[in-house]
Short mmCIF file of all heavy atoms in Angstrom, two decimals:
data_model
loop_
_atom_site.label_atom_id
_atom_site.label_comp_id
_atom_site.label_asym_id
_atom_site.label_seq_id
_atom_site.Cartn_x
_atom_site.Cartn_y
_atom_site.Cartn_z
N ALA P 6 -1.70 7.40 -7.86
CA ALA P 6 -2.08 6.00 -7.95
C ALA P 6 -2.57 5.54 -6.59
O ALA P 6 -2.17 6.06 -5.55
CB ALA P 6 -0.89 5.14 -8.39
N VAL P 7 -3.43 4.54 -6.60
CA VAL P 7 -3.93 3.93 -5.37
C VAL P 7 -3.07 2.71 -5.05
O VAL P 7 -3.06 1.73 -5.81
CB VAL P 7 -5.41 3.53 -5.47
CG1 VAL P 7 -5.86 2.86 -4.18
CG2 VAL P 7 -6.26 4.77 -5.76
N PHE P 8 -2.31 2.81 -3.97
CA PHE P 8 -1.38 1.77 -3.54
C PHE P 8 -2.09 0.87 -2.54
O PHE P 8 -2.71 1.33 -1.57
CB PHE P 8 -0.15 2.43 -2.91
CG PHE P 8 0.88 1.47 -2.38
CD1 PHE P 8 1.52 0.57 -3.22
CD2 PHE P 8 1.24 1.49 -1.04
CE1 PHE P 8 2.50 -0.29 -2.74
CE2 PHE P 8 2.21 0.64 -0.55
CZ PHE P 8 2.84 -0.25 -1.40
N LEU P 9 -2.01 -0.43 -2.76
CA LEU P 9 -2.59 -1.42 -1.86
C LEU P 9 -1.49 -2.00 -0.99
O LEU P 9 -0.46 -2.45 -1.52
CB LEU P 9 -3.25 -2.55 -2.66
CG LEU P 9 -4.32 -2.14 -3.67
CD1 LEU P 9 -4.79 -3.36 -4.46
CD2 LEU P 9 -5.49 -1.48 -2.98
N PHE P 10 -1.68 -1.99 0.33
CA PHE P 10 -0.67 -2.52 1.22
C PHE P 10 -1.37 -3.43 2.24
O PHE P 10 -2.16 -2.98 3.05
CB PHE P 10 0.06 -1.39 1.95
CG PHE P 10 1.33 -1.83 2.61
CD1 PHE P 10 2.47 -2.12 1.87
CD2 PHE P 10 1.41 -1.94 3.99
CE1 PHE P 10 3.65 -2.53 2.46
CE2 PHE P 10 2.59 -2.34 4.61
CZ PHE P 10 3.70 -2.64 3.84
N GLY P 11 -1.06 -4.71 2.14
CA GLY P 11 -1.75 -5.70 2.95
C GLY P 11 -0.85 -6.34 3.99
O GLY P 11 0.10 -5.72 4.51
N GLY P 12 -1.13 -7.61 4.28
CA GLY P 12 -0.38 -8.34 5.30
C GLY P 12 0.47 -9.44 4.70
O GLY P 12 0.77 -9.44 3.51
N ALA P 13 0.82 -10.41 5.53
CA ALA P 13 1.70 -11.48 5.12
C ALA P 13 0.98 -12.54 4.30
O ALA P 13 1.63 -13.41 3.68
CB ALA P 13 2.35 -12.12 6.33
N LYS P 14 -0.35 -12.49 4.27
CA LYS P 14 -1.15 -13.44 3.50
C LYS P 14 -1.91 -12.70 2.41
O LYS P 14 -2.39 -11.58 2.64
CB LYS P 14 -2.14 -14.21 4.40
CG LYS P 14 -1.46 -15.05 5.46
CD LYS P 14 -2.49 -15.82 6.29
CE LYS P 14 -3.35 -14.86 7.12
NZ LYS P 14 -4.31 -15.60 7.98
N ARG P 15 -2.06 -13.34 1.26
CA ARG P 15 -2.79 -12.71 0.18
C ARG P 15 -4.23 -12.41 0.57
O ARG P 15 -4.84 -11.43 0.11
CB ARG P 15 -2.77 -13.60 -1.08
CG ARG P 15 -3.39 -12.95 -2.30
CD ARG P 15 -3.43 -13.93 -3.47
NE ARG P 15 -2.09 -14.29 -3.93
CZ ARG P 15 -1.38 -13.57 -4.79
NH1 ARG P 15 -1.89 -12.46 -5.29
NH2 ARG P 15 -0.19 -13.97 -5.16
N SER P 16 -4.77 -13.23 1.45
CA SER P 16 -6.16 -13.05 1.88
C SER P 16 -6.35 -11.89 2.84
O SER P 16 -7.49 -11.46 3.08
CB SER P 16 -6.67 -14.33 2.53
OG SER P 16 -5.88 -14.68 3.65
N ASP P 17 -5.27 -11.35 3.40
CA ASP P 17 -5.39 -10.20 4.29
C ASP P 17 -5.89 -8.99 3.50
O ASP P 17 -5.35 -8.68 2.42
CB ASP P 17 -4.04 -9.85 4.90
CG ASP P 17 -3.55 -10.91 5.88
OD1 ASP P 17 -4.40 -11.67 6.39
OD2 ASP P 17 -2.33 -11.01 6.10
N LYS P 18 -6.89 -8.31 4.03
CA LYS P 18 -7.47 -7.17 3.32
C LYS P 18 -6.47 -6.02 3.28
O LYS P 18 -6.02 -5.55 4.33
CB LYS P 18 -8.75 -6.70 3.99
CG LYS P 18 -9.44 -5.56 3.24
CD LYS P 18 -10.74 -5.17 3.91
CE LYS P 18 -11.42 -4.02 3.15
NZ LYS P 18 -12.71 -3.62 3.79
N PRO P 19 -6.10 -5.52 2.10
CA PRO P 19 -5.10 -4.44 2.05
C PRO P 19 -5.74 -3.08 2.34
O PRO P 19 -6.91 -2.84 2.06
CB PRO P 19 -4.61 -4.50 0.60
CG PRO P 19 -5.78 -5.05 -0.17
CD PRO P 19 -6.47 -6.02 0.76
N GLN P 20 -4.91 -2.20 2.90
CA GLN P 20 -5.29 -0.80 3.05
C GLN P 20 -4.99 -0.09 1.75
O GLN P 20 -4.14 -0.51 0.96
CB GLN P 20 -4.52 -0.16 4.20
CG GLN P 20 -4.80 -0.78 5.57
CD GLN P 20 -6.26 -0.61 5.99
OE1 GLN P 20 -6.80 0.49 5.94
NE2 GLN P 20 -6.89 -1.71 6.38
N ARG P 21 -5.69 1.03 1.52
CA ARG P 21 -5.51 1.79 0.30
C ARG P 21 -4.92 3.16 0.63
O ARG P 21 -5.39 3.83 1.55
CB ARG P 21 -6.83 1.98 -0.43
CG ARG P 21 -7.45 0.67 -0.91
CD ARG P 21 -8.69 0.93 -1.74
NE ARG P 21 -9.26 -0.32 -2.24
CZ ARG P 21 -10.17 -0.40 -3.21
NH1 ARG P 21 -10.61 0.72 -3.79
NH2 ARG P 21 -10.64 -1.56 -3.60
N TYR P 22 -3.89 3.55 -0.12
CA TYR P 22 -3.24 4.85 0.08
C TYR P 22 -3.08 5.51 -1.28
O TYR P 22 -2.60 4.88 -2.23
CB TYR P 22 -1.88 4.68 0.74
CG TYR P 22 -1.94 4.01 2.09
CD1 TYR P 22 -1.80 2.62 2.20
CD2 TYR P 22 -2.17 4.75 3.24
CE1 TYR P 22 -1.88 2.01 3.44
CE2 TYR P 22 -2.25 4.13 4.49
CZ TYR P 22 -2.11 2.77 4.57
OH TYR P 22 -2.20 2.14 5.78
N ARG P 23 -3.44 6.76 -1.38
CA ARG P 23 -3.28 7.49 -2.63
C ARG P 23 -1.89 8.09 -2.67
O ARG P 23 -1.53 8.97 -1.89
CB ARG P 23 -4.34 8.60 -2.73
CG ARG P 23 -4.40 9.23 -4.13
CD ARG P 23 -5.69 10.05 -4.25
NE ARG P 23 -5.86 10.54 -5.61
CZ ARG P 23 -5.62 11.79 -5.99
NH1 ARG P 23 -5.18 12.67 -5.12
NH2 ARG P 23 -5.81 12.18 -7.23
N LEU P 24 -1.08 7.58 -3.59
CA LEU P 24 0.29 8.05 -3.72
C LEU P 24 0.35 9.16 -4.76
O LEU P 24 -0.18 9.02 -5.86
CB LEU P 24 1.20 6.91 -4.15
CG LEU P 24 1.29 5.72 -3.19
CD1 LEU P 24 2.31 4.70 -3.68
CD2 LEU P 24 1.66 6.19 -1.78
N LEU P 25 1.06 10.22 -4.42
CA LEU P 25 1.18 11.39 -5.25
C LEU P 25 2.62 11.58 -5.72
O LEU P 25 3.54 10.92 -5.20
CB LEU P 25 0.69 12.63 -4.50
CG LEU P 25 -0.73 12.49 -3.95
CD1 LEU P 25 -1.02 13.58 -2.94
CD2 LEU P 25 -1.76 12.53 -5.08
N HIS P 26 2.81 12.48 -6.64
CA HIS P 26 4.12 12.76 -7.18
C HIS P 26 5.11 13.14 -6.08
O HIS P 26 4.87 14.06 -5.30
CB HIS P 26 4.00 13.93 -8.17
CG HIS P 26 5.29 14.36 -8.79
ND1 HIS P 26 5.93 13.62 -9.75
CD2 HIS P 26 6.06 15.44 -8.54
CE1 HIS P 26 7.04 14.24 -10.10
NE2 HIS P 26 7.15 15.35 -9.39
N GLY P 27 6.21 12.39 -5.99
CA GLY P 27 7.23 12.64 -4.98
C GLY P 27 7.08 11.83 -3.72
O GLY P 27 7.99 11.84 -2.87
N ASP P 28 6.00 11.09 -3.56
CA ASP P 28 5.83 10.25 -2.37
C ASP P 28 6.77 9.04 -2.43
O ASP P 28 7.06 8.51 -3.51
CB ASP P 28 4.38 9.74 -2.26
CG ASP P 28 3.42 10.82 -1.83
OD1 ASP P 28 3.88 11.93 -1.42
OD2 ASP P 28 2.20 10.58 -1.87
N VAL P 29 7.23 8.62 -1.27
CA VAL P 29 8.10 7.45 -1.15
C VAL P 29 7.55 6.53 -0.07
O VAL P 29 7.24 6.99 1.03
CB VAL P 29 9.55 7.85 -0.80
CG1 VAL P 29 10.45 6.61 -0.69
CG2 VAL P 29 10.13 8.80 -1.85
N VAL P 30 7.44 5.24 -0.37
CA VAL P 30 7.02 4.24 0.61
C VAL P 30 8.23 3.34 0.90
O VAL P 30 8.91 2.90 -0.02
CB VAL P 30 5.83 3.39 0.11
CG1 VAL P 30 5.42 2.38 1.18
CG2 VAL P 30 4.66 4.27 -0.28
N VAL P 31 8.47 3.12 2.18
CA VAL P 31 9.55 2.23 2.61
C VAL P 31 8.95 1.16 3.50
O VAL P 31 8.21 1.47 4.43
CB VAL P 31 10.63 3.02 3.40
CG1 VAL P 31 11.78 2.06 3.79
CG2 VAL P 31 11.17 4.19 2.58
N TRP P 32 9.23 -0.09 3.21
CA TRP P 32 8.76 -1.16 4.10
C TRP P 32 9.83 -2.24 4.25
O TRP P 32 10.58 -2.54 3.35
CB TRP P 32 7.43 -1.73 3.64
CG TRP P 32 7.40 -2.50 2.37
CD1 TRP P 32 7.48 -3.87 2.21
CD2 TRP P 32 7.20 -1.98 1.02
NE1 TRP P 32 7.37 -4.20 0.89
CE2 TRP P 32 7.18 -3.08 0.16
CE3 TRP P 32 7.02 -0.69 0.53
CZ2 TRP P 32 7.01 -2.92 -1.22
CZ3 TRP P 32 6.86 -0.53 -0.83
CH2 TRP P 32 6.85 -1.63 -1.69
N GLY P 33 9.90 -2.78 5.47
CA GLY P 33 10.88 -3.79 5.80
C GLY P 33 10.54 -4.40 7.15
O GLY P 33 9.44 -4.22 7.66
N GLY P 34 11.49 -5.12 7.73
CA GLY P 34 11.25 -5.70 9.05
C GLY P 34 10.01 -6.57 9.04
O GLY P 34 9.86 -7.45 8.18
#
């Protein structure tokens, strides 16, 4: 799947990452 990861505002342009079987994304802070 193509995962979109942007900023704190909806208008921030998100980066695209292709997630594969077994991938894990962690975000915080």
Side-chain angles (χ1 to χ4, degrees):
V7 178
F8 179 60
L9 304 175
F10 195 73
K14 298 182 293 183
R15 186 184 294 275
S16 59
D17 293 337
K18 183 178 180 180
Q20 297 297 310
R21 297 185 177 195
Y22 300 92
R23 191 166 187 257
L24 299 184
L25 305 166
H26 179 75
D28 287 349
V29 179
V30 182
V31 182
W32 67 95

